[in-house]
Amino acid sequence: DGSRAFDVAGGRHPVVEAALEGSGAAFVANDCRFADPSDPNDSTSLTNEAGALFDASGPNSSNYISTRGGSISNAGDFRIGANTNLIGFGGVATDSADFVQTGGSTIVDGRLALNTVDIQGGVLSGSGAVSAASGPVTVGPGATVAPGNSPGTLTVDGDFAQGPGGTVAIEIDTTSSPS
C-alpha cells in the first residue's frame, strides 16, 4: 500500500519470522504496531495496546532500538532487557520519541533514554536506567515507580517529577532478621 508501517499481530510478522527461522534463530512473539524510521523525515510511532506484550529482552533483542521523533504509547507490558537500549536515532535523545505509559507496566533492565518519559498510569520498574532529554521523568496520579527487581535499583539519569497521587514503592531488604 506504499506505507512503511506494518503490523505484528498475534506475535507474527511473516518476513521477520522467516528470516529468523532461516538463520536458525527462534522467533519470539510480541504484539505491537510501529512505523519504519529509515526516512530522515519520517517519525516513529509504536503503540503497545492493553493486554499486549512488547518484549525487547529475548533472543531477538537488539542492543540498540533507535527511534526518530513520534511517540511510543504503552498500555500493555513493555520490557527492555538488560542488553537493550531504547534510545534516539544516532544516540540523540532530543531527536527521539516521547514515551507515554497510560497503563500496564514497563520493565527497564537496560536503558530507556528518550525525549520525554511520562508515566501516567501503571508501573515503571526494573534495574536499568531511565532518562528524558526534554525535562524530568514524570510520574502522574495513579502511576507507580517500583525500583529494582525485588529489591534493586532503577536509576533516573536527570530530574524526576512525581505528581499528586503518584507512588514510589520501594522494597527494603533487611540485613538481619527482625526480633
Side-chain angles (χ1 to χ4, degrees), residues 65-172:
I65 300 172
S66 297
T67 67
R68 183 192 310 272
S71 66
I72 299 173
S73 301
N74 181 43
D77 291 316
F78 201 93
R79 298 179 188 156
I80 301 171
N83 295 319
T84 303
N85 297 280
L86 179 55
I87 61 171
F89 188 75
V92 181
T94 54
D95 189 30
S96 66
D98 296 317
F99 185 89
V100 177
Q101 177 173 301
T102 57
S105 68
T106 298
I107 301 170
V108 180
D109 287 328
R111 181 172 159 222
L112 173 64
L114 297 174
N115 188 44
T116 63
V117 177
D118 185 10
I119 309 300
Q120 298 174 0
V123 178
L124 171 64
S125 65
S127 58
V130 179
S131 63
S134 295
V137 172
T138 60
V139 178
T144 300
V145 174
N149 292 314
S150 191
T153 302
L154 178 67
T155 302
V156 176
D157 292 325
D159 293 333
F160 175 83
Q162 179 180 335
T167 302
V168 175
I170 298 173
E171 184 175 345
I172 299 172

Side-chain angles (χ1 to χ4, degrees), residues 18-100:
L20 288 169
E21 287 176 355
S23 70
F27 182 82
V28 176
N30 53 53
D31 295 326
C32 61
R33 290 193 312 259
F34 56 98
D36 180 4
S38 62
D39 179 345
N41 298 314
D42 194 10
S43 63
T44 301
S45 63
L46 184 148
T47 301
N48 193 52
E49 298 173 353
L53 168 64
F54 181 88
D55 190 347
S57 62
N60 297 346
S61 165
S62 170
N63 282 336
Y64 290 90
I65 300 172
S66 297
T67 67
R68 183 192 310 272
S71 66
I72 299 173
S73 301
N74 181 43
D77 291 316
F78 201 93
R79 298 179 188 156
I80 301 171
N83 295 319
T84 303
N85 297 280
L86 179 55
I87 61 171
F89 188 75
V92 181
T94 54
D95 189 30
S96 66
D98 296 317
F99 185 89
V100 177

